[in-house]
Every structure is written in C-alpha cells, then in structure tokens.
C-alpha cells in the first residue's frame, strides 16, 4: 500500500540508474531539492563500478591533461574537470570517509576494493533521504505538460525532473539504447554510439596459429593509407584478430573509420628498438656467425615459436633451411615482416567486448 501511495506522488527528481553517475547526482541534487528517487533495474547498486580497475576502483588520477581525453568535445570535458579537479575529488571522498591509496598517480580506496566506493556513496545517498528502488526497469519515459511519467512493468512514477544516468552500452551488462532514444525524444542531439577500448577483428587465417600469444610491439594505425596514430605496448593475438593495451588505445579511431566504410590497417613492429637498416645490419652479423644454423633456430632468441612459424611461412622460407641459403628476396620478406607486419581490420568489436563507448 505504501508503494502505491509513493507512486502517486510527484517527485522533485527521479534518477534512472544507480551507478557512479546516478549516486553522485543524487548526492549533489539533495542539497537543492528534497524528494529524490533513484530507480535501478539491477538487483545491486553500482554493478559496473564494482568491476572497475579489476575490482579495485581507480577513482581518480593525479595526471589530468587534455591529451588524456579522446572525445571530440574536449572543451566540454575539460570544463567539467576544471570545476571538479583532483583536489575536490579527493576532498569529496575524504569527507565520505574514504582514505585514498596512490599508486603511480592512480588513486584507489585504501581497501583496494571497488565495493568500498560503492558502499560509501550508497550510505551517503541514504543519509540524505534519497530513496533507492532496485529491480525497477524503466521501459517508458514521457512528459505530460510539465511533469514526466516513468513507467515499467508494474509501476508508474511522476517527476518534475528526470536524470538519465544509465551508463553506456559498453560492457557485459544488460544495457539497451532506450536512454539514447529518450534523450533524443526530448531534444538532445545524439552522435553515433560506437564501441571503444575494445579488441579488433582482422582478415586472414593466421589467428588460429597466433591465438593466445602476447608480445610487446609498436602498433601504427593507417586509415585509407594515411598514418593516424601510433601506440606501444602489449599486443595480444586472439582467434579473430588483435587485442591488448596498444590495440585498445587505437580502437576508437578504428570504430569511427569502419563506420565511415574506410580501409583500416594496423602495422605491427615487433622490433621497434632498431630501424630497418639497423635491423638488416644486425641480421647479417648474426648470419655470419651462425651461417650453418637452420632457420627454425635462428630466431629462437627473438620471438615466440608461434610468431616465428608465421614469419617463416609468410616469407616462404622452409624452417629446415640453413639461414645462409636464404635468397635476397626471402631475407627482405622476413625483415619487412618483423618491422612492418600489416594486419587488415575488417570489423570492430560489439559493445559487450568494449570497456567504453
């Protein structure tokens, strides 16, 4: 009966989503208005937040410059950060009772458990008199005169203001695009939503051989034969293409290019510490010293076996062949592959594989 009564009330503000954004919004809104309700479709508050930072929750960073952000509206992002910089963020969480632990400029709760951040935010929200209803999945949002109507399978709520804090489509949670539709319905402009910080699907049949291999490399992104960006770090080969930190950093540009039907290549350099000329000189010196060595043993000190196999195969070199008998063309091919291993990208990942969008 009590719920029926509350459903007939007009709330000052209803927030859809009890994640980081929804909880923070409720805390700040509570200083301006009284009757605030959060509707969350999951069984728990802050489900995505609990998964951040491998469950440790890196809640802010010491290093914050415009170059750290990759969206097209950097000025908008920066205006937010200038109003709520590092010092204010640390002060805010300190007042909630969270003691920070810094690691190389990354700040975590001292417990190193994301659930601690969720816990203190939830307690603060409740102490301010904000109501949280779990397993309330809003299916419809409309406006009648100046009042919003939010409805789901077994409920209807009325509100003077509504905040969409549902999070993005990224991640392995049951997100949908309804909030984007609602935002557009009420006059907001929506740009295409694309996955980012994600693996990439590549053309070719090498991926079964290289699956599971992790190796440090330099990755250069080419779009329509224009060099766009370069990243260094771990490359992970999957059964469908490329993953790993360096690939994640390039993935947003790839997603945008593929959306525009542009040609996308990622060129891997497995030995970036030497330029092509230096690599050739080093190769020839080793070949002189180990001229009777078989090809299959020549790269043992350089690369994992799976990669060696692919390098020899693509260079049309028999692994049993003595290194001194390689033709000039064969040697050129293998050296080119070491420093310029081109991978054609055919598809971006779906949202379930992306960390952000």
């Amino acid at each position: 009966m009590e719920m029926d009564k509350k459903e007939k009330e007009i709330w000052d503000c209803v927030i859809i989503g009890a994640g980081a954004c929804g909880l923070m919004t409720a805390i700040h809104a509570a200083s301006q208005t009284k009757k605030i309700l959060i509707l969350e479709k999951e069984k728990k508050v802050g489900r995505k937040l609990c998964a951040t930072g491998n469950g440790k929750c890196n809640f802010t960073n010491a290093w914050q410059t415009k170059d750290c952000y990759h969206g097209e509206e950097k000025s908008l992002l920066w205006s937010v950060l200038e109003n709520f910089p590092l010092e204010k963020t640390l002060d805010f969480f300190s007042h909630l009772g969270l003691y920070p632990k810094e690691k190389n400029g990354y700040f975590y709760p001292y417990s190193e458990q994301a659930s601690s951040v969720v816990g203190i935010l939830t307690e603060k929200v409740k102490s301010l008199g904000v109501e949280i209803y779990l397993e309330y999945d809003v299916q419809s949002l409309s406006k009648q005169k100046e009042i919003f109507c939010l409805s789901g399978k077994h409920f209807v709520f009325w509100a003077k203001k509504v905040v969409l804090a549902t999070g993005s489509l990224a991640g392995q949670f049951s997100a949908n695009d309804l909030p984007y539709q609602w935002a557009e319905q009420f006059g907001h402009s929506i740009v295409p939503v694309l996955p980012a910080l994600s693996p990439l699907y590549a053309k070719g049949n090498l991926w079964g051989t290289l699956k599971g291999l992790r190796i440090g490399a330099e990755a250069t992104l080419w779009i329509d034969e224009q060099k766009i960006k370069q990243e260094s770090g771990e490359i992970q080969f999957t059964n469908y293409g490329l993953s790993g930190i360096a690939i994640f950093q390039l993935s947003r540009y790839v997603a945008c290019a593929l959306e525009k039907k542009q040609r996308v290549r990622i060129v891997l350099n497995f030995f970036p510490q030497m330029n092509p000329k230096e690599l050739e000189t080093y190769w020839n010196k080793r070949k002189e010293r180990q001229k009777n060595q078989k090809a299959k043993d020549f790269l043992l000190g350089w690369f994992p076996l799976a990669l060696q196999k692919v390098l020899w195969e693509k260079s049309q070199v028999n692994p049993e062949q003595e290194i001194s008998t390689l033709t000039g063309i064969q040697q050129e091919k293998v050296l080119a592959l070491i420093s310029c291993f081109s991978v054609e990208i055919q598809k971006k990942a779906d949202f379930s594989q992306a960390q952000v969008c």
Side-chain angles (χ1 to χ4, degrees), residues 201-207 240-241 263 343-347:
Y201 287 74
K203 292 181 181 178
N205 55 5
L206 301 172
W207 314 115
Y240 52 80
R263 186 190 177 201
V343 179
E344 191 95 8
I345 305 301
Q346 66 177 352
K347 192 176 79 168

Short mmCIF file of all heavy atoms in Angstrom, two decimals, residues 201-207 240-241 263 343-347:
data_model
loop_
_atom_site.label_atom_id
_atom_site.label_comp_id
_atom_site.label_asym_id
_atom_site.label_seq_id
_atom_site.Cartn_x
_atom_site.Cartn_y
_atom_site.Cartn_z
N TYR A 201 38.63 -7.19 -35.01
CA TYR A 201 38.54 -8.37 -35.87
C TYR A 201 39.35 -8.14 -37.14
O TYR A 201 39.18 -7.11 -37.81
CB TYR A 201 37.09 -8.68 -36.21
CG TYR A 201 36.30 -9.25 -35.06
CD1 TYR A 201 35.89 -8.44 -34.00
CD2 TYR A 201 35.97 -10.60 -35.02
CE1 TYR A 201 35.17 -8.96 -32.94
CE2 TYR A 201 35.24 -11.13 -33.96
CZ TYR A 201 34.85 -10.31 -32.92
OH TYR A 201 34.14 -10.82 -31.87
N ALA A 202 40.21 -9.09 -37.48
CA ALA A 202 41.11 -8.93 -38.62
C ALA A 202 40.82 -9.95 -39.72
O ALA A 202 40.26 -11.01 -39.48
CB ALA A 202 42.56 -9.07 -38.16
N LYS A 203 41.23 -9.60 -40.94
CA LYS A 203 41.13 -10.53 -42.06
C LYS A 203 42.27 -11.54 -42.00
O LYS A 203 43.27 -11.32 -41.32
CB LYS A 203 41.19 -9.76 -43.38
CG LYS A 203 39.99 -8.87 -43.65
CD LYS A 203 40.13 -8.16 -45.00
CE LYS A 203 38.94 -7.26 -45.27
NZ LYS A 203 39.07 -6.54 -46.55
N GLY A 204 42.13 -12.64 -42.73
CA GLY A 204 43.21 -13.62 -42.79
C GLY A 204 42.95 -14.86 -41.98
O GLY A 204 41.97 -14.94 -41.24
N ASN A 205 43.84 -15.83 -42.12
CA ASN A 205 43.67 -17.13 -41.44
C ASN A 205 44.83 -17.46 -40.51
O ASN A 205 45.09 -18.61 -40.21
CB ASN A 205 43.52 -18.23 -42.49
CG ASN A 205 44.67 -18.25 -43.49
OD1 ASN A 205 45.63 -17.49 -43.33
ND2 ASN A 205 44.59 -19.11 -44.49
N LEU A 206 45.53 -16.42 -40.03
CA LEU A 206 46.68 -16.65 -39.15
C LEU A 206 46.30 -16.84 -37.69
O LEU A 206 47.11 -17.31 -36.89
CB LEU A 206 47.64 -15.44 -39.21
CG LEU A 206 48.21 -15.06 -40.57
CD1 LEU A 206 48.96 -13.75 -40.44
CD2 LEU A 206 49.13 -16.15 -41.06
N TRP A 207 45.08 -16.47 -37.36
CA TRP A 207 44.76 -16.24 -35.96
C TRP A 207 44.69 -17.51 -35.13
O TRP A 207 44.89 -17.47 -33.92
CB TRP A 207 43.49 -15.40 -35.88
CG TRP A 207 43.59 -14.26 -36.86
CD1 TRP A 207 42.82 -14.05 -37.96
CD2 TRP A 207 44.59 -13.25 -36.87
NE1 TRP A 207 43.27 -12.96 -38.66
CE2 TRP A 207 44.35 -12.44 -38.02
CE3 TRP A 207 45.67 -12.94 -36.05
CZ2 TRP A 207 45.15 -11.35 -38.34
CZ3 TRP A 207 46.46 -11.85 -36.37
CH2 TRP A 207 46.20 -11.08 -37.50
N TYR A 240 40.38 -14.31 -33.49
CA TYR A 240 39.72 -13.50 -34.52
C TYR A 240 40.52 -12.25 -34.91
O TYR A 240 40.13 -11.51 -35.81
CB TYR A 240 38.33 -13.05 -34.06
CG TYR A 240 38.33 -12.39 -32.70
CD1 TYR A 240 38.70 -11.05 -32.55
CD2 TYR A 240 37.96 -13.10 -31.56
CE1 TYR A 240 38.71 -10.45 -31.30
CE2 TYR A 240 37.97 -12.49 -30.31
CZ TYR A 240 38.34 -11.18 -30.19
OH TYR A 240 38.35 -10.58 -28.96
N GLY A 241 41.63 -11.97 -34.22
CA GLY A 241 42.39 -10.78 -34.56
C GLY A 241 43.29 -10.28 -33.46
O GLY A 241 44.08 -11.04 -32.90
N ARG A 263 39.14 2.11 -45.25
CA ARG A 263 40.06 0.98 -45.13
C ARG A 263 40.95 1.18 -43.91
O ARG A 263 41.52 2.26 -43.72
CB ARG A 263 40.93 0.86 -46.38
CG ARG A 263 41.79 -0.39 -46.36
CD ARG A 263 42.82 -0.41 -47.46
NE ARG A 263 43.67 -1.59 -47.35
CZ ARG A 263 44.87 -1.69 -47.89
NH1 ARG A 263 45.38 -0.70 -48.59
NH2 ARG A 263 45.58 -2.80 -47.74
N VAL A 343 48.26 -5.81 -40.75
CA VAL A 343 47.03 -6.54 -40.43
C VAL A 343 45.83 -5.72 -40.91
O VAL A 343 45.64 -4.57 -40.48
CB VAL A 343 46.91 -6.79 -38.91
CG1 VAL A 343 45.61 -7.52 -38.60
CG2 VAL A 343 48.11 -7.57 -38.40
N GLU A 344 45.04 -6.29 -41.79
CA GLU A 344 43.85 -5.61 -42.30
C GLU A 344 42.69 -5.84 -41.32
O GLU A 344 42.36 -6.98 -40.98
CB GLU A 344 43.49 -6.19 -43.67
CG GLU A 344 42.44 -5.40 -44.41
CD GLU A 344 43.03 -4.40 -45.39
OE1 GLU A 344 44.26 -4.43 -45.61
OE2 GLU A 344 42.27 -3.59 -45.91
N ILE A 345 42.09 -4.75 -40.87
CA ILE A 345 40.98 -4.83 -39.91
C ILE A 345 39.65 -4.82 -40.66
O ILE A 345 39.41 -3.95 -41.50
CB ILE A 345 41.02 -3.66 -38.90
CG1 ILE A 345 42.39 -3.61 -38.20
CG2 ILE A 345 39.90 -3.80 -37.89
CD1 ILE A 345 42.77 -4.86 -37.43
N GLN A 346 38.81 -5.79 -40.36
CA GLN A 346 37.54 -5.89 -41.09
C GLN A 346 36.32 -5.55 -40.26
O GLN A 346 35.27 -5.21 -40.79
CB GLN A 346 37.37 -7.30 -41.67
CG GLN A 346 37.23 -8.40 -40.63
CD GLN A 346 36.99 -9.76 -41.27
OE1 GLN A 346 36.79 -9.84 -42.48
NE2 GLN A 346 37.02 -10.81 -40.47
N LYS A 347 36.45 -5.60 -38.92
CA LYS A 347 35.25 -5.39 -38.10
C LYS A 347 35.63 -4.92 -36.71
O LYS A 347 36.63 -5.35 -36.15
CB LYS A 347 34.46 -6.70 -38.02
CG LYS A 347 33.06 -6.55 -37.44
CD LYS A 347 32.30 -7.88 -37.49
CE LYS A 347 32.70 -8.82 -36.38
NZ LYS A 347 31.81 -9.98 -36.23
#
